[in-house]
Every structure is written in structure tokens, then in C-alpha cells.
């Protein structure tokens, strides 16, 4: 069985890089059954594409109660004798168990976060076998599921399962760097570095454009502040990144960081604004679902991720709101190096949602107390606890992302609960970023932002309440492009038949409603959306990313006006 070509071969963890690396993507064997170890297999599957994704070569929907089995052989990565071998999974949806040579090395629950196992003691000479068993309840349970639904349609998309991010292994010394925490402190012109390891003293070097600009040492586990006099700030207009190298005994790792700060504060007129590096900065954003017609959650290539970011930047957007999904770490890396702000949604879970709670507020003003958990599909205490556990893991997973400016724990009441308390917990875990505690509706008066979704009525800035005003979803204008639609259905919040009609409406919306609101406090916008997704035909790009529906110059003429300049 051949394992070539290897899809997504790039190093998957750009802020903690080692030379010892073995990519395990490619062709595996698979079987689907009732949970017993398979004696034979159904065929081949291309990892890391879910069996529901065309790129996997399978084309099968995993159902609740079924088990998806994977198998492949491998040799551990080359390197010096001794040390440990760590097996990494970028993400597996939803619950899995893992065996190496029939020795169970661990398991994991949660479809959006990375995990790893030390498999050294299970390895043997002369070939090794890796088995993975996956189960996925999708939207029939309370686990985090995002916009997946077994009965897809409208704003809910094809459910996917199994391995959907890179599987890889690395060889490390007995004592090694487990992770780095890199916290820029722009006001004090320094970066705080924490080398997480069981023991030892680490040597740290900071480089700018390849030249060493600072050195320090730090005991493992203890933060040290490394001065950077005259530090060059990171921004979308100047996405300058510092390199960092850390040596701990025989272990050597490389990473990067950017010097920037996110906060809220008044502008010259006393209006609350989002601040970047201490100055008001308008977040001109677009909603990014992160779905692909051939890969579902998994991009077809690293270049495809880059193309999305570059295109939106060229169109004048300064921010992507990553909607109800956690991307592979390389996506965030590309945002960092290209200069793109990120608003990061947490992934919703919970039981079946009630239309009264999640749909009615789009049309009628309705704000419910989210401490009444049953209304929001959050009656199960285990489900609430799992969400909060994954929230903490997500913060640590993405803590070093340079462009991540805003955390969004809840969206439109989907699995929402105790949002004010959750926002407080987020602020405690990560005081370096701002928080949109309830995007859209069911505002609990907490967080840093007053966050509105407006699709079916005219946008009028509400009375100020001391928080920063953001329009975190709007637009959603749809246009089918012949030869570039996914199916026969069309979903959008306002439909147009030609590009000319869509363009006129797009310009009119911004000229009449959005731009005038900036002078009245509006500080961020999130247009729906980057691309079509299945039935949703309201993207600026078609689902296959082959066609931009409006002239680029027209879009840029609008985004250029989404600034604080010249707005009285």
C-alpha cells in the first residue's frame, strides 16, 4: 500500500517547530461497523479528509452508533537514539481511541482540538501498526458540533466525522519543550516567554529579520520578560514577526511572535472603540465558515487557505471572523504573517435548539436570560462542563496567535448558557484580548462589545451602553453563479439575479446604513460572507472559489470607507 502523495505535507505547528517530523497523512485502510475490531477493511481512505468529503475517496456518512476504524503501518521518525516518540492528531471528530501495535495508547473526546500521546513504549523494531477507532454523535448529542447537521440544509451543513487534520509524529529528547507561551507586552517593549517543560533551564534567542536582537535564560515553567527596546509593532498594514529559538538541553525548537496589543478605550470624542496598539482601529471583517466543497472542514491544500486570506486582504478586509470552527494552526500562521485580524468563535454544542430561541430574534426583539439552561438546550450539566473545559483548552491552543483579537464564546443563542459568567472566565484566562460574549442576540450585558446581527431590517445604531458597538453579522446577499453552485437550493437573506443588481445593493447598504453609523460609534463590521457554502449562496466568492461575484474595485471602494477617518 502506497502512502504517496501526502496531502497537506506542511509542518502543522508553526510556533513550535522541530526538525524531527513524520507526516502520517495519506492513504490508510478503513472500515465502518458496530464497534468490534474489524477482521477486514472496506477500502482505502485518504487522511486527513473525513469519509463524507469527496477528497477522502469514501463518500459515506458516519451515523451515530457506528464506529469508523482506521489502520496504517509506519516507522517512527529518524533521529538520535533514545528519547521519546510523540504521536499527534490535529483534530478528530468526535471521540476516538488509538492503538499502536495493539497497545492502547490513549483516547480523546472533542472534535476540534489537537491531542498527542507518547507512544515510545508501544513501538517495536521491524514495522509498527497504528489503529484509530472513531465515533461521532454529530448533532444528536450535546458535544461541540459547530454548523454540522445530519439533516443538512440552509445555514446547517453536511456533517463530517473522523480524522480531519494532520496526523504526525516527532522524536524528542527525554526532557523536552512541551509548549511555549509567548505574550507580547508592547507598552513595556518586552515579550514574556514561558518554556513549559518538566525541568531544566532554557536558552532563548529573539531574532528580527534573521539577526539576534535579544538573549535570555529561563527556568522551565517560569515566565521571563525579554526586553525589546524600540519594538516594531505588528498590524495588518505591517505584519512584522519576530522569530524565537529555545534550547533546553538536547531539545531545540523555533517559533515566532508579534508585538501588538488589543484593548478597548475612548477615541478623541470619548466614543468607545476597539484599540490596536493603543489606537482606535476599525475591524472591517467578513464571516469565514471554513468549509470546502471537496474537503468539508479540511482545506484541499495549504495554498487554498492562503488564497482565501490573500483575496480578502486584497479586497480591503482587515479581519476574518472564524465562524464556529477551529482551524488547523497553519491557517492562523498565515493570518499572522499576511496581516489579518481574527475573531475566534468557540464551537457550539448542546441539545436540539428551539426556533423561538435561535431564530425569532432575527426578526423580533427578544432577549432571554441564558441562566435558564433548558431554553437554550443546555439542561445537561455534563455538556456545560465539557464546553467550559474545551473553552479553556481552546484558549491555550490559540494563545500565541498574533492576530487573534476577539474571543466569541456564543453565537445567536446556539448552546448558550451563563454567557456573562463565561465571559468573565475568558477574561481571567486571557486578559490580552477583547470578548464578544453573545454575538447576535440574547445579550446579557457583559463582555466588551455590544454585538448585533442585522439581516431583515435597517441597521440603526442603538443607544450607547458603554461597550464598543459592533455589527458582527449583516448582509448575506445571495447570487447564484451558473456552473459554480453546489446543489439546486438557494439560501440567502436577500436574493439577486444579476451581479449588477447585487453590486448596487452592496454599495447602497454601506452608503446608507453602515458608513454613517461609524461616526455614531460603530467600530467593527462582519459581512456575510467569504464564500458560498452548500445551499448558502451569499458569499463574495463561489463555493469552489473560482468566481468573485462582484468586481474587486467595487468591493474595495466600499471597504476603503470603513475607517474612522472623515467620519464626524
Amino acid at each position: 500500500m502506497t502512502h504517496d502523495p501526502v496531502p497537506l505535507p506542511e509542518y502543522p505547528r508553526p510556533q513550535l517547530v522541530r526538525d524531527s517530523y513524520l507526516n502520517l497523512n495519506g492513504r490508510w485502510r478503513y472500515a465502518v461497523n458496530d464497534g468490534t475490531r474489524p477482521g477486514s477493511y472496506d477500502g482505502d481512505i485518504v487522511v486527513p479528509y473525513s469519509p463524507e468529503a469527496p477528497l477522502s475517496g469514501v463518500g459515506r456518512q458516519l451515523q451515530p452508533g457506528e464506529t469508523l476504524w482506521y489502520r496504517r503501518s509506519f516507522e517512527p521518525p529518524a533521529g538520535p537514539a533514545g528519547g521519546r516518540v510523540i504521536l499527534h492528531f490535529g483534530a478528530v471528530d468526535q471521540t476516538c481511541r488509538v492503538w499502536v501495535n495493539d497497545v492502547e495508547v490513549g483516547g480523546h473526546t472533542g472534535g476540534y482540538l489537537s491531542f498527542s500521546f507518547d507512544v515510545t513504549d508501544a513501538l517495536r523494531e521491524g514495522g509498527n501498526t497504528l489503529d484509530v477507532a472513531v465515533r461521532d454523535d454529530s448533532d444528536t448529542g450535546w458535544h461541540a458540533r459547530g454548523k454540522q447537521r445530519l439533516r443538512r440544509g440552509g445555514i446547517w451543513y453536511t456533517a463530517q466525522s473522523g480524522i480531519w487534520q494532520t496526523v504526525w509524529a516527532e522524536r524528542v529528547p527525554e526532557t523536552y519543550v512541551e509548549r511555549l507561551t509567548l505574550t507580547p507586552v508592547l507598552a513595556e517593549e518586552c515579550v514574556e516567554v514561558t518554556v513549559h517543560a518538566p525541568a531544566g533551564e532554557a536558552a532563548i534567542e529573539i531574532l528580527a529579520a534573521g539577526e539576534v536582537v535579544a538573549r535570555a535564560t529561563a527556568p522551565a515553567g517560569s515566565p521571563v520578560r525579554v526586553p525589546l527596546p524600540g519594538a516594531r509593532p505588528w498590524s495588518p498594514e505591517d505584519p512584522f514577526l519576530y522569530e524565537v529559538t529555545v534550547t533546553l538541553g538536547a531539545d531545540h525548537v523555533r517559533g515566532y511572535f508579534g508585538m501588538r496589543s488589543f484593548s478597548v478605550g475612548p477615541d478623541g470624542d470619548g466614543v468607545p472603540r476597539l484599540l490596536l496598539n493603543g489606537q482606535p482601529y476599525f475591524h472591517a471583517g467578513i464571516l469565514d465558515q471554513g468549509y470546502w466543497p471537496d474537503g468539508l472542514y479540511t482545506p484541499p491544500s495549504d495554498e487554498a487557505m492562503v488564497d482565501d486570506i490573500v483575496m480578502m486582504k486584497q479586497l480591503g478586509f482587515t479581519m476574518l471572523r472564524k465562524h464556529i470552527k477551529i482551524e488547523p494552526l497553519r491557517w492562523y500562521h498565515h493570518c499572522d504573517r499576511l496581516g489579518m485580524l481574527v475573531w475566534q468563535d468557540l464551537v457550539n454544542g448542546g441539545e436540539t435548539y428551539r426556533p423561538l430561541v435561535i431564530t425569532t430574534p432575527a426578526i423580533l426583539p427578544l432577549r432571554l436570560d441564558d441562566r435558564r439552561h433548558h431554553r437554550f438546550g443546555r439542561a445537561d450539566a455534563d455538556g456545560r462542563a465539557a464546553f467550559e473545559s474545551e473553552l479553556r483548552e481552546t484558549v491555550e491552543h490559540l494563545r500565541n496567535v498574533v492576530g487573534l483579537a476577539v474571543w466569541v464564546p456564543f453565537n445567536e443563542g446556539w448552546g448558550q448558557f451563563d454567557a456573562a459568567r463565561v465571559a468573565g472566565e475568558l477574561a481571567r484566562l486571557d486578559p490580552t484580548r477583547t470578548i464578544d460574549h453573545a454575538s447576535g442576540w440574547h445579550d446579557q450585558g457583559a463582555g466588551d462589545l455590544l454585538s448585533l446581527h442585522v439581516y431583515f431590517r435597517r441597521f440603526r445604531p442603538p443607544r450607547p451602553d458603554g461597550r464598543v458597538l459592533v455589527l458582527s453579522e449583516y448582509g448575506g446577499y445571495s447570487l447564484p453563479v451558473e456552473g459554480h453552485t453546489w446543489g439546486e437550493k438557494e439560501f440567502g437573506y436577500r436574493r439577486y439575479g444579476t451581479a449588477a443588481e447585487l453590486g448596487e445593493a452592496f454599495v447602497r447598504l454601506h452608503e446608507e446604513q453602515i458608513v454613517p453609523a461609524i461616526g455614531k460609534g460603530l467600530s467593527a463590521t462582519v459581512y456575510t460572507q467569504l464564500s458560498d457554502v452548500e445551499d448558502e449562496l451569499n458569499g463574495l466568492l463561489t463555493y469552489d472559489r473560482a468566481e468573485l461575484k462582484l468586481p474587486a474595485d467595487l468591493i474595495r471602494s466600499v471597504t476603503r470607507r470603513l475607517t474612522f477617518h472623515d467620519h464626524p
Side-chain angles (χ1 to χ4, degrees), residues 309-375:
I309 299 165
V310 168
M311 173 62 78
M312 293 305 111
K313 191 172 177 69
Q314 289 175 345
L315 293 176
F317 294 99
T318 60
M319 176 264 284
L320 296 174
R321 179 180 169 200
K322 181 49 63 176
H323 197 35
I324 320 293
K325 182 193 177 192
I326 300 169
E327 288 285 6
L329 288 174
R330 291 196 62 84
W331 182 86
Y332 300 94
H333 167 62
H334 295 313
C335 288
D336 291 345
R337 69 178 185 83
L338 294 168
M340 183 64 78
L341 297 171
V342 174
W343 287 23
Q344 179 62 54
D345 290 9
L346 277 293
V347 183
N348 59 287
E351 299 144 22
T352 302
Y353 305 145
R354 299 181 182 183
L356 173 68
V357 175
I358 70 166
T359 304
T360 302
I363 303 170
L364 301 173
L366 178 67
R367 187 177 77 176
L368 300 176
D369 185 343
D370 66 7
R371 293 172 296 181
R372 299 192 174 189
H373 300 148
H374 67 284
R375 287 183 172 178

Side-chain angles (χ1 to χ4, degrees), residues 525-537:
T525 51
V526 181
Y527 183 80
T528 303
Q529 61 188 337
L530 185 150
S531 76
D532 295 348
V533 183
E534 299 190 354
D535 295 349
E536 287 192 16
L537 302 184

Side-chain angles (χ1 to χ4, degrees), residues 427-443:
R428 185 190 67 79
L429 291 169
D430 185 5
T432 70
R433 294 177 170 100
T434 51
I435 297 170
D436 179 2
H437 82 300
S439 184
W441 34 82
H442 302 306
D443 177 47

